[in-house]
Amino acid sequence: MTPVVHNINLILSVIGFFLSTLGLIHILTGFFPSRRTKYFFTVFFVTLTIYVLCILLRELTYSYTEEGWVIFSKILFFGQSIAASTLLILITAFILKESGEKKLFRSPIFIASFVAWIIYISLIIITQFTGVIYSVSDNNEYSRGKLYPLLILVTAVIMVLNLVALWVKRNKLSSKKRTALLIYIIVPTIAMVIQLFLFGIHLIALSTVISALITLTYIVTDETTVYYEQVRENDKLKGDVMLSQIQPHFLFNTLITIKSLCREDPTKAEEGIGEFSKFLKYNMDSLTTDSPIPFENELEHVREYLSLQKLRFGEELNVEYDLEYTDFEMPTLTLQPLVENAVIHGIRHSATGTGIVTIRTRNCPGHIEVCVEDDGAGFDPVILDNDENVNSDSKSHVGLSNIKSRLLLMCSGSLLIESEPGKGTTAQIILPKKK
């Protein structure tokens, strides 16, 4: 290696190490909307930093010819090669995961890429004993072996597979993510081709770092934009939920009931006004609540709602509580609309117009269950597959789509509905436990 080439490589290595370290610090200290993305880029930039550090240390120690330094150089080349190949397979995994692939080893693209990666690793291990790919002499000089093109071929195969994955999954990735990943794949590829002709100059290292930073910037910007759009949508959903619960017919019927009680039972009328004011206040306060609340608070709101309905329906409506566990949080205005559906569309639409609503909680391994059951009219769950039926105020079972969205956005929860005509309905909320 000539002094000029060495100086160029030293400069490129220092710049690459500085930029990769800077990127890693940003990842560890910065805001990431997605934990999965932060975890990926943490692993990616740790690997990238190791890769560039190996090159930098090699440039600093290549002139030392003692046996210990030669062994150290071999370790550096080995680490550099392993890290470089790991970056490629990480990109394959990221593309597939971001496009919705749940199990990587069921993806033919990932399997092919993984096999190629194993072949690459095997070649690197074999060359430590044979020198068929590369070797480090007793004078601490690096040289390529006769099978070095085979290593380049395996690397090219993984790059092509990444391009194939990006093309196949393009419709499941945002335009910014597609652009970012394409930049990361193409720029180092061009550098690799150039480096084949400019032997000894580490263009791949610096181009990999720069394209990785561009990819990081594009993807984080894209996910941050989506995150704040979801926050705004969440605010809109909260308003939609509130409006779907304070329906004119409920307000009218409650006021008519209280008016009648003013003549027949003034004490009950006074209690009803108190419960009604608490009910309305809770709904209004929910507009300013952007995080889950204690279950006890939501349950108290449900009790207020049921008290108002009991004023109207009397002994025709019965409520049972089976609360095994209450020390958890849930999104506001998610339990009450389920109870309302159970009363109005379950019990009151049954053959007798009477029935029991049961509210149950269970502390299960890994999650918490909140169930609202009724023994009322029931319905065919197939109608829930039609969003128009779920969201329309003119249809029964309003608000379910909003509840599902809020559960997913605010706590990664879900809502399951089981029902059968004439046999009642069960609405089950699943809330993952906080880690």
Side-chain angles (χ1 to χ4, degrees):
M1 183 186 300
T2 66
V4 175
V5 172
H6 167 64
N7 290 334
I8 292 174
N9 283 341
L10 189 58
I11 293 171
L12 294 179
S13 302
V14 169
I15 294 173
F17 180 71
F18 173 76
L19 292 177
S20 64
T21 304
L22 194 65
L24 182 58
I25 293 172
H26 171 70
I27 293 164
L28 295 175
T29 59
F31 169 73
F32 276 74
S34 168
R35 288 183 180 180
R36 183 174 68 186
T37 301
K38 182 168 186 174
Y39 175 76
F40 164 77
F41 276 111
T42 300
V43 174
F44 188 87
F45 268 80
V46 166
T47 307
L48 180 62
T49 303
I50 292 173
Y51 167 61
V52 181
L53 179 61
C54 287
I55 296 174
L56 175 59
L57 292 176
R58 167 61 185 169
E59 292 303 320
L60 292 172
T61 61
Y62 87 101
S63 60
Y64 298 101
T65 58
E66 292 81 358
E67 182 180 357
W69 289 110
V70 173
I71 294 173
F72 185 56
S73 288
K74 291 180 179 180
I75 294 173
L76 291 176
F77 276 116
F78 181 81
Q80 171 189 332
S81 301
I82 297 298
S85 63
T86 302
L87 292 173
L88 293 174
I89 194 71
L90 284 174
I91 287 295
T92 310
F94 183 73
I95 293 172
L96 296 174
K97 278 292 185 180
E98 284 297 298
S99 59
E101 197 77 45
K102 294 182 179 180
K103 296 185 178 181
L104 291 176
F105 282 96
R106 289 187 178 180
S107 167
I109 294 175
F110 184 79
I111 292 173
S113 186
F114 185 78
V115 169
W117 181 64
I118 293 298
I119 294 173
Y120 185 104
I121 299 296
S122 301
L123 290 173
I124 295 300
I125 294 174
I126 291 171
T127 200
Q128 305 306 310
F129 306 97
T130 64
V132 293
I133 302 298
Y134 69 82
S135 62
V136 179
S137 69
D138 294 338
N139 294 325
N140 206 5
E141 294 181 355
Y142 168 86
S143 60
R144 294 174 179 175
K146 60 182 178 180
L147 294 184
Y148 182 81
L150 181 60
L151 195 69
I152 298 299
L153 176 62
V154 176
T155 303
V157 167
I158 301 178
M159 288 180 170
V160 170
L161 287 170
N162 286 342
L163 285 172
V164 171
L166 193 57
W167 174 258
V168 172
K169 303 293 186 179
R170 65 189 184 283
N171 294 330
K172 296 184 179 181
L173 297 168
S174 67
S175 59
K176 281 190 176 181
K177 286 184 177 179
R178 289 197 303 268
T179 302
L181 292 166
L182 191 61
I183 288 172
Y184 180 81
I185 295 170
I186 290 178
V187 173
T189 302
I190 295 173
M192 183 177 70
V193 173
I194 296 174
Q195 190 166 313
L196 288 175
F197 300 98
L198 296 177
F199 176 67
I201 298 180
H202 297 304
L203 294 176
I204 296 179
L206 184 59
S207 66
T208 301
V209 173
I210 293 174
S211 56
L213 288 172
I214 294 173
T215 302
L216 171 66
T217 303
Y218 265 69
I219 290 178
V220 173
T221 301
D222 182 56
E223 291 193 351
T224 302
T225 301
V226 172
Y227 170 79
Y228 284 110
E229 287 176 354
Q230 288 178 338
V231 170
R232 287 192 292 271
E233 180 65 20
N234 191 31
D235 290 338
K236 180 179 181 298
L237 285 172
K238 287 191 295 184
D240 292 343
V241 171
M242 192 200 74
L243 292 175
S244 73
Q245 305 318 313
I246 310 179
Q247 297 178 32
H249 74 268
F250 173 69
L251 296 177
F252 177 77
N253 290 331
T254 301
L255 290 173
I256 289 297
T257 301
I258 293 174
K259 178 182 177 182
S260 299
L261 289 173
C262 287
R263 294 191 300 267
E264 301 170 4
D265 192 338
T267 301
K268 274 193 175 182
E270 183 178 355
E271 293 175 358
I273 291 173
E275 295 290 345
F276 191 46
S277 63
K278 290 179 184 177
F279 178 84
L280 292 177
K281 182 179 183 301
Y282 185 93
N283 277 12
M284 296 303 296
D285 288 345
S286 296
L287 281 177
T288 59
T289 303
D290 57 1
S291 59
I293 63 169
F295 171 73
E296 293 283 5
N297 293 5
E298 183 74 0
L299 183 63
E300 181 61 26
H301 182 57
V302 168
R303 294 184 192 274
E304 292 162 0
Y305 168 79
L306 289 171
S307 295
L308 293 171
Q309 293 293 38
K310 286 283 285 183
L311 285 177
R312 180 182 174 195
F313 301 124
E315 297 303 318
E316 295 177 358
L317 172 62
N318 295 288
V319 182
E320 294 181 355
Y321 297 91
D322 180 12
L323 306 176
E324 175 187 289
Y325 185 67
T326 59
D327 187 18
F328 61 93
E329 295 182 340
M330 68 188 307
T332 184
L333 286 179
T334 50
L335 184 60
Q336 185 270 330
L338 296 179
V339 173
E340 179 175 350
N341 279 335
V343 173
I344 301 302
H345 306 299
I347 303 302
R348 299 307 296 172
H349 281 186
S350 66
T352 62
T354 63
I356 301 173
V357 174
T358 303
I359 301 173
R360 186 178 72 249
T361 62
R362 291 289 182 267
N363 186 9
C364 304
H367 70 275
I368 297 162
E369 293 181 2
V370 182
C371 292
V372 177
E373 301 177 355
D374 69 75
D375 57 358
F379 64 97
D380 186 352
V382 173
I383 68 171
L384 297 183
D385 295 334
N386 188 337
D387 290 340
E388 292 181 0
N389 287 341
V390 175
N391 289 324
S392 174
D393 286 348
S394 64
K395 305 288 184 180
S396 63
H397 310 99
V398 297
L400 297 183
S401 180
N402 283 340
I403 296 171
K404 288 182 179 180
S405 298
R406 287 163 59 78
L407 285 170
L408 181 62
L409 285 172
M410 296 178 71
C411 56
S412 300
S414 58
L415 174 65
L416 306 175
I417 304 294
E418 295 181 1
S419 186
E420 186 176 343
K423 296 186 178 181
T425 302
T426 298
Q428 183 183 56
I429 295 175
I430 305 295
L431 299 170
K433 290 182 179 178
K434 293 182 178 179
K435 297 182 180 179

